[in-house]
């Protein structure tokens, strides 16, 4: 599948060190590469990223506001645990805001962005997600959602949706071994991306709602 920049055209090396650290740690936490409940060693992380401890500490402060890490006085910082009981609350927010983002994207996306979304839909339709690695599919899912949020052209909405999509993805990743395949979830993006590219606001909103509702239903089948 096509490799897209998750945060737009800016390359990672162009970003401030604290932003590089934030994005790297965030994605490790989302994909559970840093397991829930594990202690976060800022010195070890700084060494692994090849940067100083100050940018890592700045990143950890942001990640705490994202509910991906938690700090305790005299104990240190830990990856937050994944709580399945939060699924309903997270889904409630996403069911309201994901359709809004899809409708805005259908209305506001630039011509180059619409072309990008069409290409992305064609890429998914022409791929064989059934044969792909489950974790690779989840990374791809994150990228698709972030592209739609970018197309919506509302940075505040984008920030909120990224936060809750991240939390939803952690739940999905924790249940991944119990889910036969996420290929169907990925394929749902095809019609959604095409509707946005076509400028069909109502269909885009309806498909986005169906997509996040199906996510919750799938998770509940394996709980």
């Amino acid at each position: 599948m096509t490799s897209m920049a998750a945060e737009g055209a800016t390359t990672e090396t162009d970003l401030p060190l604290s932003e590089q650290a934030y994005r790297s740690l965030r994605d490790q936490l989302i994909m559970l590469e840093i397991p829930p409940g594990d202690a976060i060693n800022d010195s070890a992380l700084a060494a692994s990223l090849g940067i100083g401890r100050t940018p890592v500490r700045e990143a950890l402060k942001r990640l705490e506001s994202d509910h991906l890490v938690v700090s305790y006085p005299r104990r240190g910082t830990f990856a937050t645990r994944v709580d399945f009981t939060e699924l309903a609350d997270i889904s409630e927010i996403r069911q309201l805001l994901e359709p809004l983002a899809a409708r805005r994207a259908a209305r506001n996306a630039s011509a180059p962005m619409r072309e990008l979304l069409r290409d992305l839909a064609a890429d998914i339709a022409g791929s064989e997600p059934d044969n792909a690695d489950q974790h690779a599919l989840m990374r791809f899912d994150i990228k698709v959602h972030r592209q739609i949020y970018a197309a919506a052209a509302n940075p505040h909405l984008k920030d909120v949706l990224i936060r809750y999509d991240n939390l939803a993805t952690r739940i999905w990743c924790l249940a991944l071994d119990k889910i036969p395949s996420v290929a169907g979830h990925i394929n749902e993006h095809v019609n959604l991306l095409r509707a946005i590219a076509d400028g069909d606001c109502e269909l885009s909103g309806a498909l986005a709602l169906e997509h996040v509702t199906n996510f919750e239903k799938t998770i509940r089948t394996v709980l």
Side-chain angles (χ1 to χ4, degrees), residues 84 87 91 171-172 175-182 185 212-223:
F84 284 113
L87 176 62
S91 295
I171 292 175
W172 190 288
L176 203 55
D177 291 342
K178 300 177 183 178
I179 297 171
S181 174
V182 297
H185 181 74
V212 295
T213 300
N214 286 344
F215 159 78
E216 182 180 13
K217 289 179 179 177
T218 299
I219 295 299
R220 291 198 179 281
T221 63
V222 299
L223 292 182

Side-chain angles (χ1 to χ4, degrees), residues 173-211:
C173 286
L174 194 63
L176 203 55
D177 291 342
K178 300 177 183 178
I179 297 171
S181 174
V182 297
H185 181 74
I186 298 299
N187 283 327
E188 288 177 2
H189 292 117
V190 174
N191 289 336
L192 173 58
L193 290 166
R194 286 173 176 167
I196 293 172
D198 289 344
D200 191 329
C201 297
E202 292 310 310
L203 180 59
S204 298
L207 290 173
L209 176 59
E210 180 181 23
H211 181 65

Side-chain angles (χ1 to χ4, degrees), residues 8-130:
T10 303
T11 62
E12 292 291 325
T13 54
D14 293 332
L15 298 169
L17 291 178
S18 60
E19 183 67 22
Q20 292 181 40
Y22 171 75
R23 293 188 184 190
S24 176
L25 296 175
R26 180 192 64 186
D27 291 346
Q28 290 180 61
L29 289 159
I30 294 167
M31 297 303 300
L32 308 188
E33 292 165 4
I34 299 175
D38 265 22
I40 306 289
N41 184 315
D42 58 1
S43 297
L45 284 173
S48 69
L49 294 172
I51 60 177
R53 292 173 64 185
T54 298
V56 171
R57 288 173 175 170
E58 291 173 358
L60 289 173
K61 289 179 182 178
R62 290 177 62 188
L63 291 164
E64 187 163 17
S65 69
D66 291 341
H67 304 289
L68 293 174
V69 304
V70 59
S71 296
Y72 299 103
R74 296 181 296 280
R75 288 183 55 198
T77 302
F78 299 81
T80 54
R81 298 193 178 277
V82 179
D83 187 351
F84 284 113
T85 64
E86 294 181 347
L87 176 62
D89 292 338
I90 292 169
S91 295
E92 181 179 33
I93 294 168
R94 295 185 73 220
Q95 285 165 4
L96 290 171
L97 296 185
E98 292 276 356
L100 173 61
R103 290 193 299 270
R104 282 187 58 89
R107 184 172 65 249
N108 298 326
S110 64
M113 177 66 79
R114 292 181 195 278
E115 200 58 38
L116 188 154
L117 297 177
R118 289 187 200 281
D119 290 345
L120 183 54
D123 186 36
I124 299 171
S127 66
E128 297 182 357
D130 285 308

